[in-house]
Amino acid sequence: MNTNPPADIAIQTQRALDLHRKGNFLIAQQLYAKILEVDPKNFDAVHGSGLIALQLKNFTVALGYINQAIVERPDYFRPYSNRGLILKELKNYDLAIESFNYAMHLRPGQADVYFNRGIVFHELGRLQEALADYDAAIKLNGDLGVAHLNRAEALVGLERFDDAVLAYQSFLRINPNHADSTYRLALALKELKDLTGALASLDRAIQIRENFAEAHFLKGSILEELNNIISAIECYNRALIIEPEYTECYFRRALALYELGEFDRAVHDYNSVLQRSPDHVDSYIHRGLALYESKNYESALQSYDVALSLRSNDPQIYINRGVVFEAMDNHAAAVADYERAIFLDPGLPEAFINRGVARRGLGHLEAALSDHDHALILRPGDAVAYYNRGLVLHQLRLLPAAADSYKQAIHFNPGMAKAHNNHGLVLAELQQLDAAIANYDNAIALNSHFYDAHWNKALALLLSGHWGLGWVLYERWGWSGQHKRGRQRELSAPLWSGTGSLRNKSIFLYPEQGLGDSIQFCRYVSNLSSLGARVILQTPKPLHDIFSRLEGVAALISAQDPVPASDFQLPLPSLPAVFKTEVDSVPLSRPYLKPDNTKVAKWGVRLGQKTKLRIGVVWSSTSNYKNDAQRSMEFAQFQLALPMEGFEFICLQREIKPADKDAVAQRPDIRIVGADLHDFDETAAVIQNLDLVISTCTSVPHLSGAMGIPTWLLLAHTPDWRWLLHREDSPWYGSIKLYRQAANWDWGPVLARVREDLLGLLDSTATCRANVAK
């Protein structure tokens, strides 16, 4: 019996194979099936049917055919190789490797077999074995492009990026227009920090495939890394035009917009992410940052609350939320969040630094200092910790230690402008003014628009007596930034610069700062009047009546009155600058404010016949001045300067602080008249009945000094600029004597000197009276 297939079967088999090779799977499969009906053991038909089933991803059917093909030709390597492919697809990796191994045994040196076994190793994560197989395949067939490509991917997995780049380049020499591989090359170059090469590769990928969203996105991220934020955003825009649902691209564009300070647009993009991915925690976190920068604190808190509901054990979210609470002056809530962050991760320096900031806000200075010290244990050399530590020490009045802490902050971050500025502030308080000015200059060099540094330099120059440059900076920077001098008036009349003629011109003067400043600078009214100006002076209500007798005033108006038309305008504190006042050229050493004689007489009657030296006293201010502690003291301390006998003391304060009332009540020699001091004209009438005024740095010594009444002024170690340094007199008021704290900032020696001088005054007065009696 003849077992060979008929001749037409051989022809049909060849036809089926040809159709198969051309990709006509359906017709080829039909022919294979007909052949197998006639010749069930036809190897080519069985093997071909298995390959078509594999190519159609019908892996179980494919495996059946290929196993039958192996039965028909057990010594042929190809069915074993194809069975390995099927088993790989069925995730039966061990049998797949065995099948490839047997194929290699039957026919060594087949590049595709090595390549396919390499794929199995690759999927198993056995990258070194995969790499060896890809290398073997390439050695056998250098033009096998996919082997170069897979080799590159294995090298990336092994983090051998240099070799991966070479492998991608080898693949691209074979397939130069392969956009995906060009993109993958860019990724590898980015890992090598070859950002220029990565950008060139991405440009090539985009040239090959213009609508390649991922390539535009990656290019944007690299440009962002190069700080080319605007171009990065343009790339993200293109990616989103191509793929409007590209969630990660919205997120990255939001980050870039945040860097540009476009916080509202950043929030919009974070919202776009969250519409597409409601559980995208990082978007809630970063949206909180953007909302915080926009000062939309309530919404920022809500964003962080959602983030915490999704990731409750993330200490950074608690830190971020604490910063928002801190901005809202909710220091206690901020501390609670920082403590939660510390509980979750005790090794976070930022949590301790921020808790220290919040504790300082609560006035818990020692605890704040401890936090900053602990942060420096966790991260020695942290400039931010040293800076904030300096703030606490400064507030504790530990000035040398504060200066050292700021100095350390500068050492570890020379570019921290605010550390230079604050170092200058401490040095100024230590009366090291040249060094302070040098620090302000350093801050300005780092940030030419650092308003505080310019302003502080102006004050240091004025305090040191360098009034020429001091006035220039005072004028230029006093209205800038945080409006240190107040907000500049929006008036139609131009500012008078000191050069234009005032003959037959009107000039509108107005107050800008405190009552004492108005008293100090109103002396220049007579200068303006002497230049032919018609002076219109606006004054606060408490000064209205006392200023009504000021020489040279043509019209006096209150703050509530309409501003009249004028040729020029100027705030009172600008007058020393426009007149180029120097320490030795302050105008009006004589008295220039006069009380109302009727009120003087009234108070003379009320105070009664003077049988003792009558002394006016002021020891504290009731203002909200931030450094009030440096110009006020408790009465219990101040009274140490006041002898118990020989004097009649008149309290010139309108109000007595609750903490002082009991101590004042224990001094019957102190008369309280504040309830009747309705304005400064009343106060001036009382002062005119006194022999002497003793006061801390409030508005009262300005008034008594302007009246020419002897005044003893008690000053902190580093006083306000107008009192200068190292002198007992003042160029502004001839009747004032200055009593200064020593470098230890202790009022005790100051009060002792005042008491001694009062007793000396009492003795000299008694001597004079005795001589008169004789």
Side-chain angles (χ1 to χ4, degrees):
M1 180 177 179
N2 185 8
T3 59
N4 291 326
D8 63 328
I9 294 295
I11 294 171
Q12 290 299 319
T13 299
Q14 188 59 51
R15 182 175 172 226
L17 291 171
D18 290 341
L19 289 167
H20 190 167
R21 293 188 189 101
K22 293 176 182 179
N24 293 326
F25 297 154
L26 182 60
I27 299 174
Q29 180 60 51
Q30 290 172 349
L31 281 174
Y32 287 144
K34 289 180 179 180
I35 293 167
L36 290 173
E37 288 176 1
V38 176
D39 185 4
K41 295 184 178 182
N42 187 300
F43 172 81
D44 289 327
V46 173
H47 190 247
S49 295
L51 290 178
I52 289 175
L54 170 62
Q55 289 156 339
L56 295 176
K57 302 188 183 303
N58 193 344
F59 303 121
T60 302
V61 172
L63 184 59
Y65 279 119
I66 294 300
N67 283 337
Q68 185 182 346
I70 289 172
V71 170
E72 299 303 326
R73 290 189 61 179
D75 57 348
Y76 184 34
F77 81 96
R78 185 56 65 189
Y80 291 99
S81 177
N82 290 332
R83 186 172 68 174
L85 292 175
I86 297 167
L87 291 167
K88 177 186 78 71
E89 295 296 339
L90 291 170
K91 309 299 182 185
N92 197 336
Y93 295 118
D94 289 339
L95 290 179
I97 292 170
E98 287 182 11
S99 200
F100 287 129
N101 290 344
Y102 199 73
M104 291 177 183
H105 168 71
L106 293 173
R107 180 74 64 85
Q110 296 298 306
D112 65 308
V113 180
Y114 278 106
F115 172 73
N116 288 329
R117 189 178 68 175
I119 293 174
V120 176
F121 285 133
H122 204 149
E123 290 191 15
L124 287 170
R126 293 160 61 175
L127 298 183
Q128 290 289 5
E129 292 167 279
L131 189 61
D133 273 357
Y134 296 145
D135 286 340
I138 291 168
K139 185 176 181 180
L140 292 166
N141 181 2
D143 294 329
L144 187 59
V146 288
H148 290 283
L149 181 59
N150 281 28
R151 181 174 183 272
E153 295 297 320
L155 289 164
V156 167
L158 292 167
E159 298 186 359
R160 290 170 53 185
F161 298 108
D162 284 322
D163 293 330
V165 165
L166 296 175
Y168 282 126
Q169 290 170 341
S170 295
F171 172 77
L172 289 169
R173 279 193 290 271
I174 300 168
N175 298 282
N177 294 321
H178 197 280
D180 287 327
S181 298
T182 309
Y183 168 79
R184 299 289 296 173
L185 171 61
L187 287 172
L189 289 166
K190 182 175 182 292
E191 291 291 341
L192 292 171
K193 306 300 181 186
D194 182 1
L195 301 186
T196 302
L199 287 174
S201 190
L202 289 168
D203 286 339
R204 172 61 183 153
I206 293 167
Q207 182 184 22
I208 298 167
R209 189 197 303 163
E210 187 176 354
N211 64 342
F212 198 162
E214 291 83 356
H216 287 290
F217 172 78
L218 181 59
K219 182 178 178 182
S221 69
I222 292 174
L223 289 168
E224 193 174 351
E225 192 173 340
L226 291 169
N227 206 33
N228 190 345
I229 308 297
I230 293 175
S231 295
I233 290 172
E234 291 173 357
C235 290
Y236 296 143
N237 292 343
R238 293 191 192 101
L240 287 167
I241 290 171
I242 298 165
E243 179 49 70
E245 298 301 311
Y246 201 157
T247 301
E248 189 63 18
C249 195
Y250 283 110
F251 180 71
R252 288 305 297 262
R253 187 171 70 176
L255 294 177
L257 289 166
Y258 178 90
E259 289 299 317
L260 286 180
E262 297 194 29
F263 305 120
D264 291 340
R265 289 180 63 195
V267 168
H268 183 272
D269 269 357
Y270 290 129
N271 290 339
S272 295
V273 175
L274 295 169
Q275 288 170 5
R276 292 161 175 80
S277 180
D279 293 339
H280 197 282
V281 181
D282 286 339
S283 286
Y284 287 109
I285 295 171
H286 287 275
R287 185 177 69 175
L289 291 172
L291 289 165
Y292 164 77
E293 293 292 348
S294 299
K295 302 189 185 308
N296 191 345
Y297 299 135
E298 292 293 345
S299 296
L301 290 178
Q302 292 171 11
S303 202
Y304 288 133
D305 288 344
V306 178
L308 285 169
S309 72
L310 296 169
R311 193 189 293 167
S312 60
N313 290 327
D314 187 333
Q316 190 60 51
I317 304 175
Y318 284 102
I319 291 174
N320 290 355
R321 193 174 69 173
V323 170
V324 179
F325 280 128
E326 186 70 15
M328 299 171 74
D329 291 328
N330 191 344
H331 306 299
V335 167
D337 268 358
Y338 299 140
E339 287 179 346
R340 178 62 180 169
I342 290 167
F343 173 78
L344 292 169
D345 186 351
L348 279 177
E350 292 82 1
F352 286 95
I353 293 171
N354 286 18
R355 188 173 69 175
V357 171
R359 282 175 160 175
R360 184 170 72 90
L362 289 169
H364 302 164
L365 300 183
E366 295 294 343
L369 185 61
S370 175
D371 274 343
H372 296 312
D373 287 340
H374 191 79
L376 287 166
I377 292 172
L378 292 173
R379 188 161 64 204
D382 188 299
V384 175
Y386 274 115
Y387 172 78
N388 283 290
R389 183 174 180 270
L391 292 175
V392 176
L393 291 165
H394 197 164
Q395 198 166 338
L396 286 167
R397 310 302 301 154
L398 300 173
L399 299 189
D404 182 68
S405 203
Y406 289 135
K407 191 174 180 180
Q408 290 295 321
I410 293 166
H411 171 74
F412 290 109
N413 183 2
M416 186 184 283
K418 62 184 180 180
H420 289 280
N421 178 64
N422 281 35
H423 191 206
L425 286 173
V426 175
L427 292 171
E429 288 200 54
L430 291 168
Q431 296 189 8
Q432 299 175 30
L433 295 181
D434 289 342
I437 290 168
N439 271 271
Y440 299 142
D441 284 339
N442 289 338
I444 292 165
L446 291 166
N447 178 3
S448 61
H449 297 290
F450 195 164
Y451 303 114
D452 282 359
H454 287 285
W455 176 251
N456 292 334
K457 180 180 178 180
L459 297 183
L461 287 165
L462 293 174
L463 180 62
S464 65
H466 295 94
W467 286 4
L469 178 57
W471 294 129
V472 171
L473 296 180
Y474 186 89
E475 286 299 297
R476 180 176 179 185
W477 296 100
W479 284 325
S480 303
Q482 297 178 2
H483 307 287
K484 298 295 183 181
R485 289 176 50 183
R487 196 172 292 276
Q488 189 173 10
R489 296 278 189 94
E490 298 293 336
L491 300 174
S492 58
L495 289 164
W496 185 59
S497 64
T499 56
S501 173
L502 290 178
R503 180 66 56 187
N504 298 321
K505 301 288 186 181
S506 60
I507 183 167
F508 172 58
L509 302 180
Y510 50 90
E512 187 181 67
Q513 299 174 37
L515 299 174
D517 298 273
S518 294
I519 294 170
Q520 179 180 356
F521 300 127
C522 73
R523 72 184 66 220
Y524 287 91
V525 168
S526 62
N527 297 62
L528 295 167
S529 178
S530 67
L531 294 174
R534 180 177 182 272
V535 179
I536 306 165
L537 178 61
Q538 186 183 69
T539 178
K541 184 178 179 180
L543 293 173
H544 186 277
D545 289 353
I546 189 70
F547 278 7
S548 67
R549 292 178 293 278
L550 182 63
E551 181 182 343
V553 175
L556 190 67
I557 66 172
S558 71
Q560 290 72 40
D561 293 329
V563 176
S566 61
D567 297 300
F568 297 101
Q569 52 107 348
L570 203 65
L572 284 169
S574 292
L575 286 163
V578 297
F579 279 104
K580 297 180 169 46
T581 306
E582 294 290 350
V583 176
D584 58 358
S585 66
V586 175
L588 287 185
S589 58
R590 59 182 173 81
Y592 56 91
L593 288 183
K594 301 173 183 177
D596 181 277
N597 290 331
T598 302
K599 293 179 180 178
V600 172
K602 179 193 73 173
W603 277 100
V605 172
R606 176 171 172 178
L607 294 174
Q609 184 176 358
K610 185 166 59 172
T611 60
K612 302 176 181 180
L613 286 173
R614 189 171 279 163
I615 314 293
V617 292
V618 176
W619 63 88
S620 71
S621 166
T622 56
S623 75
N624 293 322
Y625 178 60
K626 68 176 182 178
N627 291 324
D628 186 60
Q630 295 182 44
R631 66 179 188 180
S632 296
M633 68 182 85
E634 293 183 356
F635 179 76
Q637 183 180 25
F638 178 75
Q639 70 170 336
L640 298 175
L642 310 180
M644 297 295 291
E645 297 179 353
F647 299 91
E648 179 187 4
F649 298 109
I650 311 296
C651 175
L652 298 175
Q653 296 179 192
R654 287 196 62 191
E655 299 177 15
I656 296 176
K657 293 177 180 178
D660 289 335
K661 289 184 177 180
D662 288 344
V664 172
Q666 300 300 314
R667 292 290 301 254
D669 55 336
I670 295 180
R671 297 180 65 175
I672 308 300
V673 298
D676 295 318
L677 300 180
H678 308 299
D679 60 14
F680 275 72
D681 208 32
E682 290 289 343
T683 305
V686 176
I687 289 173
Q688 194 65 42
N689 284 280
L690 305 178
D691 296 299
L692 173 68
V693 171
I694 301 174
S695 176
T696 55
C697 187
T698 67
S699 55
V700 171
H702 285 281
L703 177 61
S704 57
M707 293 170 60
I709 300 299
T711 303
W712 295 356
L713 177 57
L714 282 55
L715 294 175
H717 176 61
T718 303
D720 190 54
W721 64 266
R722 72 198 77 222
W723 306 119
L724 300 168
L725 296 175
H726 313 306
R727 57 190 296 167
E728 292 188 353
D729 66 333
S730 167
W732 296 101
Y733 304 107
S735 64
I736 280 186
K737 180 179 179 180
L738 304 177
Y739 289 79
R740 300 177 182 274
Q741 282 182 336
N744 59 0
W745 298 278
D746 183 6
W747 285 116
V750 175
L751 298 171
R753 291 200 306 274
V754 171
R755 181 184 182 87
E756 182 181 351
D757 287 354
L758 278 174
L759 293 173
L761 182 62
L762 183 63
D763 289 343
S764 63
T765 303
T767 301
C768 289
R769 286 175 179 168
N771 290 335
V772 170
K774 291 178 181 179

